[in-house]
């Protein structure tokens, strides 16, 4: 009977070890598949350009969210001479955790040479 118990203990131990190895392997695969922040930025700029036909000039904000990533991307919408009169736009861009664009919207349009108006409250 003790031989049977030893065999069961051994099998149980092996299953536990296999389960831990499987979880560790899955965690490593997930970590490898998750894009780095720089990859997310590149993907966001490329996908937005493909959808809008306008090249992103810069990314003014970038943060990880529960759903994935949120960015604010500055885009040249209308080139004018002199350059300070060109029309720029800020787009809010949302990506899933894999870096795939899930939505975007224009949140602001402004002339390149203009700064934001002062907000009340000292901001």
């Amino acid at each position: 009977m003790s031989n049977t118990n030893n065999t069961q203990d051994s099998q149980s131990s092996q299953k536990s070890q296999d389960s831990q190895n499987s979880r560790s392997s899955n965690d490593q695969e997930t970590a490898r598949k998750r894009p780095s922040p720089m990859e997310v930025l590149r993907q966001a700029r490329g996908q937005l350009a493909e959808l809008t036909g306008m090249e992103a000039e810069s990314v003014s904000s970038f943060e990880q969210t529960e759903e994935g990533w949120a960015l604010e991307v500055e885009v040249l919408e209308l080139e004018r001479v002199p350059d300070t009169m060109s029309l720029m736009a800020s787009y809010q861009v949302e990506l899933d955790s894999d870096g795939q664009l899930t939505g975007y919207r224009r949140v602001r349009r402004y002339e390149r040479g203009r700064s934001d108006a002062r907000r009340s409250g000292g901001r």
Side-chain angles (χ1 to χ4, degrees), residues 95-107:
L95 297 103
D96 64 17
S97 58
D98 295 325
Q100 296 302 307
L101 195 138
T102 59
Y104 72 92
R105 66 186 176 101
R106 185 172 64 196
V107 293

Side-chain angles (χ1 to χ4, degrees), residues 59-72:
V59 176
S60 57
S61 74
F62 175 75
E63 67 179 304
Q64 192 167 12
T65 64
E66 289 181 15
E67 296 82 27
W69 303 91
L71 295 82
E72 192 161 317

Side-chain angles (χ1 to χ4, degrees), residues 71-114:
L71 295 82
E72 192 161 317
V73 180
E74 307 303 315
V75 172
L76 174 64
E77 283 204 334
L78 180 61
E79 192 168 7
R80 290 187 175 157
V81 176
D83 191 48
T84 55
M85 297 303 292
S86 293
L87 286 179
M88 303 290 295
S90 293
Y91 282 83
Q92 185 176 30
V93 179
E94 297 171 2
L95 297 103
D96 64 17
S97 58
D98 295 325
Q100 296 302 307
L101 195 138
T102 59
Y104 72 92
R105 66 186 176 101
R106 185 172 64 196
V107 293
R108 187 168 69 105
R109 199 170 192 203
Y110 58 97
E111 290 177 339
R112 185 189 295 271
R114 303 244 178 180

